[in-house]
Amino acid sequence: MTIAAFLIAMVGPLLSRILVSLGVSLITITGLTVVATTLKGQVTGAIGGMPAAVVQLGGLFGLWEAGGMIFGTITFLIAWKGTSGFMALAKV
């Protein structure tokens, strides 16, 4: 077996796994972006309908920082669950 045949035999399966991983990650990230944008839009619209005094009181209590932490946690968990299967895909 020549070196060229050996390299071609090694690159084929590796390249297919890389392309599958990129495709799955692209779909996961796109879905995550759509979900996060929609959720933020819904919450912003709901907050916009509140009286100004309630919005200011929520700011004084740190409600908006807590909301940011909650959104960050949800985004992290979705990304973690979406990419946890990549290690099984990379194994031979």
Side-chain angles (χ1 to χ4, degrees):
M1 175 182 271
T2 65
I3 293 178
F6 175 73
L7 288 176
I8 290 173
M10 292 302 293
V11 169
L14 182 64
L15 185 61
S16 66
R17 288 176 188 235
I18 289 172
L19 290 176
V20 167
S21 295
L22 286 175
V24 170
S25 65
L26 181 64
I27 291 170
T28 302
I29 296 301
T30 303
L32 178 62
T33 303
V34 169
V35 167
T37 304
T38 304
L39 187 60
K40 282 184 182 180
Q42 292 289 330
V43 170
T44 304
I47 291 172
M50 292 181 184
V54 174
V55 174
Q56 290 174 351
L57 193 59
L60 288 174
F61 287 144
L63 187 63
W64 316 131
E65 287 81 8
M69 289 178 196
I70 291 170
F71 282 133
T73 304
I74 291 170
T75 304
F76 171 76
L77 288 176
I78 291 172
W80 183 267
K81 294 290 183 181
T83 58
S84 63
F86 288 156
M87 291 307 293
L89 185 65
K91 291 182 180 175
V92 176

